């Protein structure tokens, strides 16, 4: 599977690993490990559809009553919710694209589109939130009267809609970065709406109209902090970095301790998608090819211990007359 492997080095048993692992993932489930990428549209397609519908309705309501009530907080939240609608559309589309089968040009299919969607969503959210914060600063310097009653009612509706939408994605947030991005967007919106409700109550009784902008600044800062970690994780996966849930040293040690394995080199671990992790490695086994049962057991252990669902292992005997060109650690 590795592009760096020559035909002479690549052994005929590689498809056996992929075939076994592929079948196992589709016929068995192991709680706590990442297998569900192929099931994302089935599990969350309805969640995306419901979330998009509810938020489109809410964006229209917020924009309309934000104009009537002269509330920057409502208008800012409407813009933020609109960005999340677009984010949900991208996330849904990426989940659907990820199920497309491999082709001659895209031999992995389009699995990595889910990583791109998570990266785009986090960038988009940061940009929109930054715009909200900038407008809030300008309005904070020149506060104007706000219809507090309208703000409270519409924002309370936002708490309900955004919380309900976030709950739709809650179960998948730990196993899929794409779903996590959708969950964070909706949870962030619920937090914004709650803050607007509290600000509306204070404005109603104390006439502190500067709170309309002040609360927007505070919540914008919270969203930026939460989104920054998502952005870093998505960027790392785009650059083929090792996912957070995989310890490279532990994987190397496991492979090194296998029976008859004298050395391990050219080890690579990367994310094929927001739910699937792949691995390639060269195992130096002086006694030669150990048989399909050995490779099957290793593939199962990698899946169950490290959530690596797509391993490809190359067996070498360590013949000094024919050294592996990829053995040095600095070679890729």
């Amino acid at each position: 599977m590795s592009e760096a492997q020559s035909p002479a080095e690549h052994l005929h048993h590689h498809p056996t690993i992929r075939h076994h692992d592929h079948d196992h993932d589709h016929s068995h489930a192991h709680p706590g490990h990442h297998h569900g990428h192929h099931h994302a549209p089935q599990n969350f397609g309805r969640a995306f559809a419901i979330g998009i519908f509810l938020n489109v309705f809410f964006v229209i309501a917020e924009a309309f009553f934000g104009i009537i009530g002269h509330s920057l907080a409502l208008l800012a939240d409407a813009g933020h919710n609109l960005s999340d609608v677009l984010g949900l559309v991208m996330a849904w589309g990426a989940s659907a694209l990820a199920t497309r089968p491999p082709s001659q040009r895209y031999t992995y299919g389009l699995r990595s589109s889910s990583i791109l969607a998570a990266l785009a969503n986090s960038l988009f959210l940061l940009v929109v939130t930054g715009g909200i914060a900038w407008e809030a600063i300008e309005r904070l310097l020149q506060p104007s009267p706000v219809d507090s009653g309208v703000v409270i009612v519409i924002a309370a509706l936002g708490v309900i809609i955004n919380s309900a939408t976030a709950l739709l994605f809650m179960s998948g947030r730990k196993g899929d970065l794409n779903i996590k991005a959708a969950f964070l967007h909706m949870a962030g919106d619920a937090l914004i709406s709650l803050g607007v409700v509290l600000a509306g109550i204070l404005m109603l009784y104390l006439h502190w109209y500067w709170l309309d902008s002040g609360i927007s600044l505070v919540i914008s800062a919270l969203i930026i902090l939460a989104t920054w970690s998502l952005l870093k994780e998505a960027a790392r996966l785009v650059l083929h970095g090792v996912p957070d849930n995989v310890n490279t040293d532990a994987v190397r040690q496991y492979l090194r301790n296998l029976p008859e394995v004298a050395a391990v080199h050219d080890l690579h671990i990367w994310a094929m998608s927001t739910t699937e992790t792949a691995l390639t490695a060269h195992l130096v086994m002086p006694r030669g090819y150990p048989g399909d049962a050995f490779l099957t057991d290793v593939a199962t252990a990698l899946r169950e211990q490290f959530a690596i669902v797509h391993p490809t292992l190359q067996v070498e005997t360590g013949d000094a007359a024919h050294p592996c060109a990829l053995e040095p650690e600095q070679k890729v």
Side-chain angles (χ1 to χ4, degrees):
M1 188 179 80
S2 172
E3 290 84 349
Q5 295 167 358
S6 67
E9 291 175 320
H10 192 86
L11 300 183
H12 72 277
H13 58 262
H14 286 195
T16 302
I17 296 181
R18 291 197 295 268
H19 177 72
H20 169 82
D21 199 42
H22 177 80
D23 290 346
H24 191 96
D25 282 346
H26 282 76
S27 60
H28 299 281
H30 297 271
H33 301 298
H34 304 291
H35 304 294
H37 181 77
H38 298 293
H39 303 290
Q42 287 77 15
N43 291 341
F44 295 102
R46 178 173 295 181
F48 280 120
I50 294 173
I52 291 170
F53 173 79
L54 290 177
N55 279 272
V56 167
F57 167 77
F58 186 53
V59 165
I60 295 173
E62 270 193 315
F64 178 76
F65 286 103
I67 294 173
I68 292 178
H70 305 287
S71 172
L72 173 64
L74 285 183
L75 289 174
D77 197 26
H80 181 247
N81 272 289
L82 180 59
S83 74
D84 281 345
V85 169
L86 297 177
L88 286 175
V89 171
M90 284 192 293
W92 191 7
S95 293
L97 286 175
T99 64
R100 294 184 63 176
S103 65
Q104 291 294 325
R105 183 170 294 276
Y106 299 100
T107 56
Y108 276 134
L110 296 176
R111 285 168 166 76
S112 59
S113 59
S114 58
I115 300 175
L116 293 178
L119 179 64
N121 282 345
S122 57
L123 287 172
F124 197 37
L125 186 58
L126 286 175
V127 170
V128 171
T129 304
I132 292 172
W134 181 264
E135 180 67 18
I137 292 173
E138 292 184 344
R139 287 285 294 270
L140 190 61
L141 299 175
Q142 294 181 336
S144 57
V146 175
D147 190 334
S148 304
V150 170
V151 171
I152 294 171
V153 172
I154 299 301
L157 178 62
V159 173
I160 296 172
I161 289 178
N162 290 314
S163 296
T165 306
L167 289 174
L168 294 174
F169 299 104
M170 189 172 183
S171 64
R173 75 189 189 283
K174 294 183 179 180
D176 188 336
L177 189 63
N178 196 32
I179 300 300
K180 180 181 179 181
F183 171 80
L184 286 177
H185 280 194
M186 296 302 103
D189 280 353
L191 182 62
I192 286 181
S193 296
L194 179 60
V196 174
V197 170
L198 297 177
I201 292 174
L202 291 175
M203 288 188 293
L204 181 64
Y205 291 102
L206 301 177
H207 305 293
W208 291 353
Y209 296 120
W210 57 269
L211 279 175
D212 185 60
S213 299
I215 197 67
S216 298
L217 278 176
V218 172
I219 297 172
S220 293
L222 293 175
I223 292 175
I224 289 174
L225 288 175
T227 305
W228 185 249
S229 62
L230 176 67
L231 175 64
K232 290 193 298 182
E233 187 175 358
R236 183 172 64 254
L237 296 187
V238 167
L239 295 174
H240 289 172
V242 179
D244 273 343
N245 64 305
V246 180
N247 185 320
T248 304
D249 290 336
V251 173
R252 185 186 301 274
Q253 190 62 38
Y254 163 75
L255 294 174
R256 179 63 183 81
N257 290 338
L258 289 171
E260 309 299 335
V261 173
V264 176
H265 60 263
D266 199 36
L267 173 63
H268 299 283
I269 304 171
W270 73 98
M272 297 171 59
S273 70
T274 51
T275 60
E276 290 179 318
T277 301
L279 170 149
T280 60
H282 293 194
L283 305 181
V284 179
M285 305 183 73
R287 294 189 179 184
Y289 176 50
D292 288 358
F294 171 86
L295 297 175
T296 292
D297 291 341
V298 173
T300 300
L302 288 172
R303 180 178 59 251
E304 294 181 348
Q305 295 182 36
F306 304 104
I308 295 173
V309 301
H310 199 295
T312 299
L313 302 174
Q314 176 168 305
V315 175
E316 301 167 356
T317 61
D319 185 355
H322 301 88
C324 177
L326 298 174
E327 182 175 358
E329 287 296 325
Q330 66 272 20
K331 295 286 289 185
V332 177

